[in-house]
């Protein structure tokens, strides 16, 4: 019996691909003075920024994260879109009385910003974000 529906955010509810790619491009150019190929950046999707940026440059990881977030926050609202059919799916699950939760490795502020942008917060009783866990993707013990 289904008790709840868990939704991922990026790539499921919100199309954030171009925003993420732009954030990688900006951070790598600003901090490392080099380009990152889109396919290479896409290969990092689902991993935490801390892990990704630390693998590229342990000594500049924090600067990479800062630059990534600078671009991401600045461009966020204009660079994301709602996938077709998502609003109907969320509303349908809600009408049927199922609890819905959103899980993501994004920070809470940014995740809520994306949901606010499309008036989706009302559909989620629980929002589990990066700060709420000690083990993040792809760790098999991660709840997100």
């Amino acid at each position: 019996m289904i008790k709840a529906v868990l939704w991922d955010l990026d790539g499921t509810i919100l199309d954030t691909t171009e925003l993420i790619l732009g954030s990688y491009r900006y951070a790598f150019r600003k901090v490392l003075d080099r380009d990152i190929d889109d396919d290479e950046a896409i290969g990092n999707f689902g991993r935490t920024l801390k892990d990704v940026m630390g693998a590229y440059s342990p000594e500049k990881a924090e600067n990479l994260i800062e630059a990534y977030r600078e671009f991401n926050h600045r461009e966020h609202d204009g660079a994301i879109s709602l996938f077709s059919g998502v609003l109907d799916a969320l509303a349908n699950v809600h009408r049927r009385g199922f609890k819905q939760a959103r899980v993501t490795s994004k920070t809470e502020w940014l995740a809520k910003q994306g949901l606010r942008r499309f008036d989706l917060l009302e559909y989620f009783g629980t929002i589990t974000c990066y700060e709420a866990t000690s083990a993040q993707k792809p760790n098999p013990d991660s709840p997100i």
Side-chain angles (χ1 to χ4, degrees), residues 9-10 14 69 73 76 102-117 121 124-133 136 144:
L9 188 61
D10 293 324
L14 299 178
R69 288 186 175 149
H73 290 192
H76 184 269
R102 201 259 316 122
V103 293
T104 184
S105 58
K106 276 188 162 179
T107 63
E108 182 176 0
W109 178 86
L110 196 57
K112 285 184 176 179
Q113 182 67 18
L115 294 173
R116 272 190 213 97
R117 168 83 172 77
L121 277 173
F124 300 99
T126 302
I127 299 175
T128 302
C129 302
Y130 177 84
E131 301 92 337
T133 65
Q136 285 81 33
I144 57 174

Side-chain angles (χ1 to χ4, degrees), residues 49-69:
L49 283 178
K50 182 179 177 183
D51 288 345
V52 170
M53 300 311 193
Y56 281 102
S57 178
E59 64 281 352
K60 294 184 179 180
E62 288 303 316
N63 300 91
L64 283 164
I65 292 169
E66 183 179 306
Y68 180 100
R69 288 186 175 149

